[in-house]
């Protein structure tokens, strides 16, 4: 049962991250104008979204290998995905003068719905006995390389998303 739960949580994390990635401003789906919002606020929001995506990907991996910490991170990610979509769908933040495109609405509702079982299954995963620290079978050089790559990609995403959201 535990392995199925780990794989279910990892799968939901990957799906949620994929849905979020499709909504990067400037892409085919999210093309609303946010130029009226401070660039600093947009940058901070985009940093949060990028960290959410990276944390979700890492948590998916560590969930599969059985890390107890991954379950906690997965709960936080599930709640964060839910709040991000609920705030946008509720027209709380970010607010745009442009109408929400239908594809964006469908993806956000899907992401909102996926966040519920992600959070609940992650809570169940946390409660499973014999959870512990996963061992990482990578060299220090590989780990540093992955971290540098994530930072570079993350910065690129934040810069691109913030500039794209500022277009009029």
């Amino acid at each position: 049962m535990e392995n199925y739960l780990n794989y279910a949580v990892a799968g939901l994390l990957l799906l949620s991250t994929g849905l979020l990635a499709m909504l990067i401003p400037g892409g085919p789906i999210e093309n609303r104008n946010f130029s009226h919002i401070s660039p600093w606020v947009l940058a901070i929001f985009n940093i949060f979204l990028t960290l959410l995506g990276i944390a979700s990907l890492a948590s998916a991996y560590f969930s599969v290998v059985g890390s107890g910490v991954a379950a906690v991170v997965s709960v936080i990610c599930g709640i964060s995905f839910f709040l991000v979509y609920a705030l946008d769908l509720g027209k709380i933040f970010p607010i745009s003068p442009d109408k929400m495109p239908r594809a964006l609405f469908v993806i956000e509702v899907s992401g909102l719905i996926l966040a519920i079982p992600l959070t609940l299954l992650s809570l169940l995963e946390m409660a499973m006995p014999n959870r512990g620290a996963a061992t990482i079978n990578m060299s220090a050089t590989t780990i540093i390389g992955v971290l540098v790559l994530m930072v570079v990609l993350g910065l690129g995403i934040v810069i691109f998303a913030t500039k794209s959201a500022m277009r009029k």
Side-chain angles (χ1 to χ4, degrees):
M1 168 71 176
E2 187 174 338
N3 282 340
Y4 293 119
L5 186 58
N6 295 355
Y7 286 115
V9 168
L12 288 170
L13 283 165
L14 292 174
L15 281 171
S16 295
T17 304
L19 288 174
L20 186 66
M22 287 193 292
L23 301 182
I24 293 173
I29 296 171
E30 177 57 278
N31 50 23
R32 294 178 292 171
N33 178 10
F34 297 104
S35 61
H36 61 287
I37 298 175
S38 162
W40 288 106
V41 172
L42 284 175
I44 291 168
F45 184 59
N46 286 325
I47 289 169
F48 170 75
L49 294 177
T50 302
L51 289 174
L52 176 58
I54 290 170
S56 296
L57 292 175
S59 188
Y61 169 76
F62 286 108
S63 182
V64 169
V65 298
S67 169
V69 174
V72 174
V73 173
S74 298
V75 169
I76 294 168
C77 288
I79 292 168
S80 296
F81 280 119
F82 185 88
L83 290 174
V84 164
Y85 294 128
L87 290 172
D88 194 21
L89 290 167
K91 297 181 178 162
I92 298 169
F93 182 83
I95 299 171
S96 172
D98 302 333
K99 185 178 178 207
M100 181 180 284
R102 185 171 194 80
L104 175 61
F105 177 79
V106 169
I107 289 173
E108 287 198 359
V109 168
S110 300
L112 184 77
I113 292 168
L114 275 178
I116 296 167
L118 169 59
T119 305
L120 295 176
L121 290 177
S122 298
L123 285 168
L124 186 58
E125 187 179 35
M126 269 177 46
M128 297 295 284
N130 302 324
R131 307 291 300 170
T135 57
I136 302 172
N137 295 324
M138 288 190 248
S139 70
T141 305
T142 304
I143 293 171
I144 290 170
V146 169
L147 289 173
V148 168
L149 180 64
M150 288 190 318
V151 168
V152 169
L153 287 174
L155 282 172
I157 291 169
V158 169
I159 291 167
F160 176 81
T162 302
K163 283 186 167 196
S164 296
M166 296 300 298
R167 284 191 224 156
K168 290 186 179 187

